[in-house]
Every structure is written in C-alpha cells, then in structure tokens.
Amino acid sequence: MARKKLLLSFLVIGCFGVLLTVTAQNQKKPDPAGKKMIAAADNFLETLSEEQKEQATFAYDSDERVNWHFIPRERKGLPLKDLEGDARKAAEQLLQAGLSEAGYDQAVNVMSLEEILFLLEGGEREYRRDRRDPQKYYFSVFGEPNAQGTWGWRVEGHHLSLNYTIENGHVVASTPEFFGANPALVDSGPKRKIRVLGPEEDLARQLLNATDPEEMKTIWISKEAPDDIRGGGEVQPVVTEAVGLAAGDMNDQQKKLLRALLAEYLKNMPGDVEADRRKRINDAGWEGIHFAWWGSDKPNERHHYVVQGDTFIIEYNNTQNDANHLHTIWRNIDGDFNLPRE
C-alpha cells in the first residue's frame, strides 16, 4: 500500500510538472507597444471616411507633428466628438495602445474633468460647451503606420498631450507626455472626493517632509512658486542645471519615496516603454537624480516641484485656481519627438 501511494505521488508530481511546462510554453510574451500601435492605428484609419482620414493624417515631417500644447485651443486632427460606432471604438483602442491600464484610466479621468468645468464655469452655454467638452480630444497620425520606417501619432486636448514616434516597429519616443487636472480636487462630501493626479502631489510632499532642516535648505529652492511648468508648447524641454537634493545624498527612506514618486509617473506607459525608461535611468545612475521644491509646503497653497535626472525631467505645478489646477509633464533630456535637443 505504501508503495502504491508513493507511486501515485510521483505520478501526480510528474503530471503537475508537465502542466507547468505546457502552461509556461503557452504563455506568450506581450507584444511590444510599437506593434500594438501599428495594428491599432491601421484599424483606426480603416474605420474612417475619406474626409475623416484626410483630417486625421499628416506627413511625418509635417510641422504639425511638433505643434503640441495642453491649453484649450483650436487643434488639427480628428476629434472624438466626430466619431461613433467602430471609428469611436478604434480611437479608444489606439489610446489604450499608447498607455498602460493605469495610464488609460488617468487619461479618461483627465478628459472627464471637462464636464465638471462645463458645469462650474460661467458664460453662455454654447461658449462653455465649445470650450469644455470631454469629447474635444484630437487624434492625429503622422506618416504611415508600418513595421518598417518611421511614423508617429498624437492624442491631444485640454490637459492631455501624448506624443509617440515609432521606428521599425519600436517606440523610440514617447515625450512630451503631459497630464493635467482642473479641478485637481472635486470635493462632494465624505467619501465623495475625486483627486486626479493626487499621488503625484502626495508622494512628493512626503519626500519634502522627510527631510531635516539642513536638507530642507537644499530642497526648498524658493517660497515663491513659478506660475507654470517650463516649455509648454515648445518642441524641446527647457533644461537647466539640476537643483535640489540629490538621491546620492538621501537616506533610505527618502530614496524609497523618490522611487515611489518616479514609479507613479512611469506607470502610465506600456510595459516595454516603461522598462526602457527605467533602463535608461538605471544606466545613467539614480544617485544623480535631484528633487527640488518651490512655493508653500502646505496643502491647497501654490507649489511646484522638479525631479531631474540625466535622462529625464519631470515638472509639476499647482498654482492656478487657488492651487486646485495642476500640470505635470515628463520630458526627455536628449530631446522629445525623437529629435535632438539643440
């Protein structure tokens, strides 16, 4: 009997091992983001009428490719409000291809805030609806989506600008990447608060508060916060010498908070894009990443911070509308749009 039980145990273990092997073989590595973008962009363009396709497409070297901004303004491209049915679904799938699940949720939340602004702001209804519309986000494709060659695409509207360049099927640029929120806090009572981009403030504030008085002198650049991020609408980032406290001078708790803050920004991108950004940061070294703060250290008052490394620069600004209107951006130090920074 004991021999039979032992034999049965070996059979069970053997079958389980075979099952694990088959399962591992059946697990496919996720397609790279560039491949998904090609398929999604092709599908999007195929759903459009000729008139819509003309509106949505541009030459790769068009000046429009670098004509980005996050303010409410007239834009070229094809807006969501002109799409329905398969075309609307394809546009949403293209946006999903450019972001992680968390990033997609954040983009949708940013767009949805336009409806709140429509309800809150004064003026004629028609004017408010034209200015504040959660469907007034424009899709543009630059060049021909293809596994060979270079092309790009963009989704943009108020407080959202996502820009991608794909070369031979791989994402070679995903900046400038802009998310904003107005209002940053929607307070409808207990357990009815909405904070889009809330962790981006909270983690940075925790890092600021984790410093001792001497470190605070290094981190806190000024009690006055600048009115906005630098380089809005400019093709390349404004990059000056890094200021603030370097990661190499931080203690373990501060380093942990800095990594958590960076992770909050990194998580918006698809897996391989995020991994590429992390690799570049790791190769350059974390020790040289600086964190700097401007403005008030109190919540709901004007504040601004910058996280800057050798490969990237993050800017965050919350100064407008009584510090309830924030802007965040990730830019590539070497140059956005797969173009060299002059």
Side-chain angles (χ1 to χ4, degrees), residues 36-37 39-41 43-45 47-48 78-101 103-105 107-108 111 134-135 137-140 153-155 160 162 164:
K36 291 180 180 179
M37 290 177 188
N43 184 48
F44 170 64
L45 295 176
T47 66
L48 305 181
L78 188 61
L80 270 176
K81 65 189 303 179
D82 289 354
L83 302 175
E84 57 185 23
D86 290 342
R88 175 64 176 252
K89 183 178 179 180
E92 292 169 353
Q93 290 173 341
L94 178 55
L95 178 57
Q96 287 176 321
L99 296 165
S100 65
E101 184 176 347
Y104 180 74
D105 288 345
V108 171
M111 294 177 181
Q135 298 190 79
Y137 288 83
Y138 293 74
F139 287 72
S140 303
W153 64 284
R154 176 178 70 212
V155 179
L160 183 70
L162 302 170
Y164 303 92

Side-chain angles (χ1 to χ4, degrees), residues 47-63:
T47 66
L48 305 181
S49 67
E50 288 302 315
E51 182 180 352
Q52 289 175 325
K53 189 179 295 185
E54 183 176 352
Q55 190 176 347
T57 55
F58 305 82
Y60 174 74
D61 59 359
S62 166
D63 290 341

Side-chain angles (χ1 to χ4, degrees), residues 151-195:
W151 65 285
W153 64 284
R154 176 178 70 212
V155 179
E156 186 176 271
H158 182 220
H159 279 167
L160 183 70
S161 186
L162 302 170
N163 301 270
Y164 303 92
T165 306
I166 299 89
E167 186 176 277
N168 297 329
H170 298 280
V171 178
V172 292
S174 54
T175 53
E177 174 203 339
F178 181 96
F179 290 92
N182 179 24
L185 167 64
V186 181
D187 189 350
S188 299
K191 298 183 180 180
R192 295 176 61 87
K193 293 182 180 181
I194 300 172
R195 287 183 72 212

Side-chain angles (χ1 to χ4, degrees), residues 4 18 36 46 56 111 132 142 150 155 167 181-182 210 212 270:
K4 286 183 179 180
V18 170
K36 291 180 180 179
E46 286 173 3
M111 294 177 181
R132 306 300 190 190
F142 305 96
T150 307
V155 179
E167 186 176 277
N182 179 24
D212 62 33

Side-chain angles (χ1 to χ4, degrees), residues 22-310:
V22 171
T23 302
Q25 289 174 346
N26 288 337
Q27 286 180 341
K28 293 182 179 179
K29 187 177 180 180
D31 287 337
K35 186 175 181 180
K36 291 180 180 179
M37 290 177 188
I38 293 168
D42 275 338
N43 184 48
F44 170 64
L45 295 176
E46 286 173 3
T47 66
L48 305 181
S49 67
E50 288 302 315
E51 182 180 352
Q52 289 175 325
K53 189 179 295 185
E54 183 176 352
Q55 190 176 347
T57 55
F58 305 82
Y60 174 74
D61 59 359
S62 166
D63 290 341
E64 181 61 25
R65 187 170 80 91
V66 297
N67 180 27
W68 76 281
H69 216 301
F70 51 84
I71 61 174
R73 66 171 186 175
E74 291 304 314
R75 287 176 163 84
K76 294 182 179 179
L78 188 61
L80 270 176
K81 65 189 303 179
D82 289 354
L83 302 175
E84 57 185 23
D86 290 342
R88 175 64 176 252
K89 183 178 179 180
E92 292 169 353
Q93 290 173 341
L94 178 55
L95 178 57
Q96 287 176 321
L99 296 165
S100 65
E101 184 176 347
Y104 180 74
D105 288 345
Q106 182 152 283
V108 171
N109 288 335
V110 167
M111 294 177 181
S112 69
L113 290 175
E114 292 300 287
E115 191 65 29
I116 294 174
L117 289 178
F118 167 72
L119 295 171
L120 292 178
E121 293 183 345
E124 294 293 329
R125 179 184 177 87
E126 185 176 346
Y127 168 78
R128 285 187 292 120
R129 177 49 77 200
D130 181 64
R131 182 174 170 82
R132 306 300 190 190
D133 187 341
Q135 298 190 79
K136 204 171 181 181
Y137 288 83
Y138 293 74
F139 287 72
S140 303
V141 177
F142 305 96
E144 182 180 349
N146 200 296
Q148 286 77 42
T150 307
W151 65 285
W153 64 284
R154 176 178 70 212
V155 179
E156 186 176 271
H158 182 220
H159 279 167
L160 183 70
S161 186
L162 302 170
N163 301 270
Y164 303 92
T165 306
I166 299 89
E167 186 176 277
N168 297 329
H170 298 280
V171 178
V172 292
S174 54
T175 53
E177 174 203 339
F178 181 96
F179 290 92
N182 179 24
L185 167 64
V186 181
D187 189 350
S188 299
K191 298 183 180 180
R192 295 176 61 87
K193 293 182 180 181
I194 300 172
R195 287 183 72 212
V196 178
L197 298 165
E200 285 81 348
E201 175 182 348
D202 295 343
L203 288 166
R205 195 176 293 283
Q206 288 176 42
L207 179 52
L208 176 72
N209 292 332
T211 57
D212 62 33
E214 283 303 309
E215 292 169 332
M216 188 71 80
K217 293 177 183 178
T218 303
I219 276 188
W220 205 343
I221 306 302
S222 172
K223 298 297 178 69
E224 298 296 323
D227 291 333
D228 207 342
I229 63 170
R230 297 172 296 176
E234 296 186 20
V235 177
Q236 299 300 349
V238 176
V239 180
T240 53
E241 184 177 356
V243 295
L245 185 65
D249 296 325
M250 294 181 182
N251 60 38
D252 289 344
Q253 180 194 7
Q254 292 163 345
K255 289 178 180 179
K256 183 177 180 180
L257 288 168
L258 177 63
R259 287 180 179 272
L261 178 59
L262 276 172
E264 192 61 36
Y265 284 91
L266 285 163
K267 71 179 178 59
N268 293 322
M269 287 291 111
D272 58 333
V273 177
E274 177 184 349
D276 179 67
R277 287 187 182 181
R278 284 186 181 276
K279 183 179 185 306
R280 296 187 70 219
I281 291 172
N282 289 334
D283 289 347
W286 282 76
E287 302 302 286
I289 297 175
H290 287 68
F291 175 78
W293 185 275
W294 288 256
S296 175
D297 63 339
K298 296 180 176 59
N300 307 315
E301 295 184 3
R302 288 169 55 97
H303 59 282
H304 176 100
Y305 69 77
V306 173
V307 184
Q308 184 172 336
D310 291 337

